[in-house]
Amino acid sequence: MIVLKLGGSVITDKDRPETLDGEALERAADAVAAALEGGVEDLVIVHGGGSFGHHNASEHGVTTAEGTRDAGAALDIHGAMTTLNRFVLSRLLERGVEAVPVHPFSAGHRDVEGDLELPTGQVATLLAEGFVPVLHGDLVAHAGAGATVVSGDELVTALARDLEADRIGLCSTVPGVLDDDDAVIDRIAAYEDVADVLGESAATDVTGGMAAKVQALLTLEAEASIFGLEDLEAFLAGDEPGTTIDSS
Ligand code: IP8
């Protein structure tokens, strides 16, 4: 099983609120459709927010830790993400991909510690029935805090762990994890390898910066790749483009 994250900044125009990067989204959808036609099975897609969701969340002061108990605010943020999800689904459907939505707001929650609980039975069953489940960064109920943001990266980690993914791909705006000279680092086996480039600690990096991504991916059994849109097809074909993160 492959978990593929399409970065929000890849598929939207980050500078303009609620604007797609239509060309990039179509390119990503083309690559997914081609891979499925070429025999790839069991693909779960997660997309981020980019210019959808983030500005709504910041207008309402909502983060992964700071919640809201205002239903209007919750609907505003969740609604922006479901709007983007519709666009992603429609580009996939147009290409014959059997893509269906799974909205984390209706499925998951955080406990009082902020730890994410995400049931995955529906995702596993959809996969077994031949669908391509498409999840997205969203809000989730958060014990003691109302509703808080769940990022696409957190969903990727939870899905990969629970469904025992074979491969994880993060399609990003950069071609991989970059070193001080902006060259792509080929392989990361331990955080110490990159601590001087990415910073010693990812503790303050809760919203999906590279340090947090790498640290989260290092905790997983499966090999993960971080790559740019130009390498999505290669990743889905089984190559290891960009940076490979493998702690095994
Ligand atoms: O772009 C963001 O998901 P991300 C979700 O993966 C919201 O961090 C609601 C801002």
Side-chain angles (χ1 to χ4, degrees):
M1 197 268 282
I2 301 177
V3 181
L4 170 67
K5 159 115 190 267
L6 297 175
S9 316
V10 176
I11 57 171
T12 72
D13 179 347
K14 257 225 146 159
D15 300 329
R16 283 191 283 168
E18 307 216 354
T19 309
L20 286 181
D21 183 335
E23 218 171 286
L25 178 54
E26 302 221 346
R27 205 168 151 190
D30 283 342
V32 168
L36 294 167
E37 270 165 37
V40 163
E41 286 176 0
D42 289 350
L43 176 66
V44 179
I45 297 176
V46 177
H47 65 79
S51 67
F52 292 74
H54 284 281
H55 71 273
N56 312 66
S58 82
E59 251 168 44
H60 297 292
V62 179
T63 66
T64 52
E66 293 295 318
T68 181
R69 292 190 175 83
D70 175 343
L75 203 56
D76 184 36
I77 301 163
H78 173 68
M81 291 308 302
T82 55
T83 300
L84 176 58
N85 186 245
R86 279 275 158 173
F87 282 121
V88 174
L89 290 170
S90 76
R91 297 306 179 273
L92 291 166
L93 284 172
E94 279 164 20
R95 289 161 176 77
V97 176
E98 304 297 342
V100 289
V102 175
H103 302 303
F105 196 27
S106 309
H109 75 279
R110 291 189 194 280
D111 64 17
V112 77
E113 311 291 339
D115 292 333
L116 177 67
E117 301 270 338
L118 184 75
T120 53
Q122 80 287 51
V123 177
T125 308
L126 287 168
L127 284 173
E129 296 300 319
F131 292 103
V132 176
V134 184
L135 294 86
H136 52 85
D138 203 348
L139 288 185
V140 280
H142 186 150
T148 54
V149 170
V150 61
S151 73
D153 288 347
E154 286 180 274
L155 298 170
V156 166
T157 310
L159 290 163
R161 185 169 288 138
D162 226 48
L163 297 172
E164 297 177 356
D166 303 302
R167 304 179 69 219
I168 301 155
L170 263 54
C171 181
S172 159
T173 47
V174 284
V177 181
L178 304 178
D179 68 14
D180 285 335
D181 300 321
D182 280 352
V184 173
I185 299 169
D186 186 46
R187 229 175 164 81
I188 301 173
Y191 195 74
E192 301 86 81
D193 300 354
V194 286
D196 39 336
V197 189
L198 296 180
E200 282 304 324
S201 162
T204 56
D205 184 10
V206 288
T207 51
M210 200 54 98
K213 282 190 212 301
V214 170
Q215 288 202 332
L217 293 171
L218 279 167
T219 67
L220 299 174
E221 297 265 312
E223 214 175 78
S225 299
I226 300 180
F227 51 83
L229 181 56
E230 60 289 347
D231 282 326
L232 176 54
E233 227 173 297
F235 169 77
L236 290 171
D239 293 350
E240 292 182 353
T243 301
T244 303
I245 296 169
D246 182 10
S247 59
S248 63

